[in-house]
mmCIF file of all heavy atoms in Angstrom:
data_model
loop_
_atom_site.group_PDB
_atom_site.id
_atom_site.type_symbol
_atom_site.label_atom_id
_atom_site.label_comp_id
_atom_site.label_asym_id
_atom_site.label_seq_id
_atom_site.Cartn_x
_atom_site.Cartn_y
_atom_site.Cartn_z
ATOM 1 N N ARG A 30 -29.667 44.629 53.291
ATOM 2 C CA ARG A 30 -31.054 45.089 53.488
ATOM 3 C C ARG A 30 -31.991 43.904 53.709
ATOM 4 O O ARG A 30 -32.845 43.934 54.601
ATOM 5 C CB ARG A 30 -31.507 45.920 52.290
ATOM 6 C CG ARG A 30 -32.890 46.532 52.452
ATOM 7 C CD ARG A 30 -33.233 47.470 51.300
ATOM 8 N NE ARG A 30 -32.936 46.954 49.985
ATOM 9 C CZ ARG A 30 -33.741 46.113 49.307
ATOM 10 N NH1 ARG A 30 -34.867 45.714 49.815
ATOM 11 N NH2 ARG A 30 -33.399 45.697 48.099
ATOM 12 N N LEU A 31 -31.835 42.850 52.912
ATOM 13 C CA LEU A 31 -32.676 41.659 53.053
ATOM 14 C C LEU A 31 -32.475 40.998 54.413
ATOM 15 O O LEU A 31 -33.431 40.502 55.025
ATOM 16 C CB LEU A 31 -32.390 40.663 51.924
ATOM 17 C CG LEU A 31 -32.789 41.101 50.526
ATOM 18 C CD1 LEU A 31 -32.247 40.128 49.481
ATOM 19 C CD2 LEU A 31 -34.294 41.226 50.411
ATOM 20 N N ILE A 32 -31.247 41.009 54.906
ATOM 21 C CA ILE A 32 -30.966 40.447 56.227
ATOM 22 C C ILE A 32 -31.587 41.322 57.307
ATOM 23 O O ILE A 32 -32.246 40.826 58.217
ATOM 24 C CB ILE A 32 -29.447 40.289 56.433
ATOM 25 C CG1 ILE A 32 -28.912 39.181 55.527
ATOM 26 C CG2 ILE A 32 -29.123 40.003 57.895
ATOM 27 C CD1 ILE A 32 -27.413 39.133 55.420
ATOM 28 N N LYS A 33 -31.395 42.628 57.203
ATOM 29 C CA LYS A 33 -31.931 43.551 58.206
ATOM 30 C C LYS A 33 -33.453 43.477 58.284
ATOM 31 O O LYS A 33 -34.043 43.563 59.353
ATOM 32 C CB LYS A 33 -31.488 44.982 57.885
ATOM 33 C CG LYS A 33 -31.843 45.970 58.955
ATOM 34 C CD LYS A 33 -31.261 47.335 58.666
ATOM 35 C CE LYS A 33 -31.569 48.303 59.787
ATOM 36 N NZ LYS A 33 -30.992 49.615 59.559
ATOM 37 N N GLN A 34 -34.110 43.275 57.133
ATOM 38 C CA GLN A 34 -35.564 43.169 57.102
ATOM 39 C C GLN A 34 -36.056 41.792 57.545
ATOM 40 O O GLN A 34 -37.246 41.576 57.661
ATOM 41 C CB GLN A 34 -36.083 43.458 55.693
ATOM 42 C CG GLN A 34 -35.893 44.897 55.276
ATOM 43 C CD GLN A 34 -36.269 45.138 53.822
ATOM 44 O OE1 GLN A 34 -36.312 44.222 53.001
ATOM 45 N NE2 GLN A 34 -36.547 46.392 53.494
ATOM 46 N N GLY A 35 -35.140 40.856 57.756
ATOM 47 C CA GLY A 35 -35.520 39.522 58.194
ATOM 48 C C GLY A 35 -35.974 38.616 57.064
ATOM 49 O O GLY A 35 -36.507 37.536 57.316
ATOM 50 N N ILE A 36 -35.801 39.042 55.844
ATOM 51 C CA ILE A 36 -36.222 38.250 54.693
ATOM 52 C C ILE A 36 -35.292 37.053 54.503
ATOM 53 O O ILE A 36 -35.731 35.953 54.188
ATOM 54 C CB ILE A 36 -36.293 39.133 53.434
ATOM 55 C CG1 ILE A 36 -37.389 40.178 53.619
ATOM 56 C CG2 ILE A 36 -36.523 38.297 52.190
ATOM 57 C CD1 ILE A 36 -37.433 41.251 52.562
ATOM 58 N N ILE A 37 -34.001 37.282 54.716
ATOM 59 C CA ILE A 37 -33.023 36.197 54.702
ATOM 60 C C ILE A 37 -32.545 36.021 56.135
ATOM 61 O O ILE A 37 -31.991 36.958 56.734
ATOM 62 C CB ILE A 37 -31.829 36.518 53.773
ATOM 63 C CG1 ILE A 37 -32.309 36.627 52.327
ATOM 64 C CG2 ILE A 37 -30.754 35.442 53.903
ATOM 65 C CD1 ILE A 37 -31.234 37.022 51.357
ATOM 66 N N PRO A 38 -32.763 34.846 56.723
ATOM 67 C CA PRO A 38 -32.338 34.634 58.117
ATOM 68 C C PRO A 38 -30.814 34.591 58.228
ATOM 69 O O PRO A 38 -30.140 34.019 57.376
ATOM 70 C CB PRO A 38 -32.961 33.285 58.476
ATOM 71 C CG PRO A 38 -33.229 32.615 57.182
ATOM 72 C CD PRO A 38 -33.431 33.686 56.160
ATOM 73 N N ALA A 39 -30.298 35.239 59.265
ATOM 74 C CA ALA A 39 -28.855 35.294 59.472
ATOM 75 C C ALA A 39 -28.550 35.220 60.964
ATOM 76 O O ALA A 39 -29.404 35.509 61.802
ATOM 77 C CB ALA A 39 -28.287 36.579 58.892
ATOM 78 N N ARG A 40 -27.333 34.840 61.259
ATOM 79 C CA ARG A 40 -26.798 34.871 62.616
ATOM 80 C C ARG A 40 -25.631 35.850 62.588
ATOM 81 O O ARG A 40 -25.006 36.060 61.552
ATOM 82 C CB ARG A 40 -26.278 33.498 63.046
ATOM 83 C CG ARG A 40 -27.337 32.446 63.084
ATOM 84 C CD ARG A 40 -28.170 32.607 64.350
ATOM 85 N NE ARG A 40 -29.095 31.494 64.470
ATOM 86 C CZ ARG A 40 -30.404 31.631 64.497
ATOM 87 N NH1 ARG A 40 -30.939 32.821 64.407
ATOM 88 N NH2 ARG A 40 -31.184 30.591 64.629
ATOM 89 N N TYR A 41 -25.358 36.421 63.726
ATOM 90 C CA TYR A 41 -24.270 37.395 63.797
ATOM 91 C C TYR A 41 -23.091 36.814 64.561
ATOM 92 O O TYR A 41 -23.253 36.229 65.622
ATOM 93 C CB TYR A 41 -24.742 38.686 64.465
ATOM 94 C CG TYR A 41 -25.595 39.509 63.536
ATOM 95 C CD1 TYR A 41 -26.943 39.243 63.382
ATOM 96 C CD2 TYR A 41 -25.040 40.535 62.791
ATOM 97 C CE1 TYR A 41 -27.724 39.976 62.502
ATOM 98 C CE2 TYR A 41 -25.813 41.283 61.907
ATOM 99 C CZ TYR A 41 -27.147 40.993 61.779
ATOM 100 O OH TYR A 41 -27.912 41.718 60.911
ATOM 101 N N ILE A 42 -21.918 36.978 63.974
ATOM 102 C CA ILE A 42 -20.669 36.655 64.632
ATOM 103 C C ILE A 42 -19.986 38.001 64.812
ATOM 104 O O ILE A 42 -19.450 38.571 63.855
ATOM 105 C CB ILE A 42 -19.817 35.684 63.801
ATOM 106 C CG1 ILE A 42 -20.563 34.369 63.621
ATOM 107 C CG2 ILE A 42 -18.461 35.478 64.468
ATOM 108 C CD1 ILE A 42 -19.860 33.356 62.760
ATOM 109 N N GLY A 43 -20.088 38.520 66.016
ATOM 110 C CA GLY A 43 -19.667 39.901 66.245
ATOM 111 C C GLY A 43 -20.605 40.796 65.465
ATOM 112 O O GLY A 43 -21.822 40.595 65.476
ATOM 113 N N PRO A 44 -20.082 41.755 64.726
ATOM 114 C CA PRO A 44 -20.958 42.638 63.954
ATOM 115 C C PRO A 44 -21.319 42.102 62.571
ATOM 116 O O PRO A 44 -22.131 42.695 61.875
ATOM 117 C CB PRO A 44 -20.113 43.908 63.813
ATOM 118 C CG PRO A 44 -18.698 43.403 63.824
ATOM 119 C CD PRO A 44 -18.701 42.221 64.767
ATOM 120 N N LYS A 45 -20.729 40.959 62.181
ATOM 121 C CA LYS A 45 -20.919 40.453 60.823
ATOM 122 C C LYS A 45 -22.026 39.408 60.752
ATOM 123 O O LYS A 45 -21.989 38.411 61.459
ATOM 124 C CB LYS A 45 -19.635 39.823 60.292
ATOM 125 C CG LYS A 45 -18.519 40.803 60.100
ATOM 126 C CD LYS A 45 -17.310 40.115 59.526
ATOM 127 C CE LYS A 45 -16.198 41.116 59.317
ATOM 128 N NZ LYS A 45 -15.037 40.503 58.682
ATOM 129 N N PRO A 46 -22.999 39.628 59.863
ATOM 130 C CA PRO A 46 -24.013 38.587 59.666
ATOM 131 C C PRO A 46 -23.457 37.468 58.793
ATOM 132 O O PRO A 46 -22.723 37.712 57.839
ATOM 133 C CB PRO A 46 -25.150 39.319 58.958
ATOM 134 C CG PRO A 46 -24.481 40.448 58.241
ATOM 135 C CD PRO A 46 -23.286 40.823 59.077
#
Side-chain angles (χ1 to χ4, degrees):
R30 185 174 46 82
L31 293 171
I32 290 167
K33 187 174 183 178
Q34 292 174 339
I36 295 171
I37 296 176
R40 298 282 187 241
Y41 284 83
I42 298 177
K45 294 182 179 184

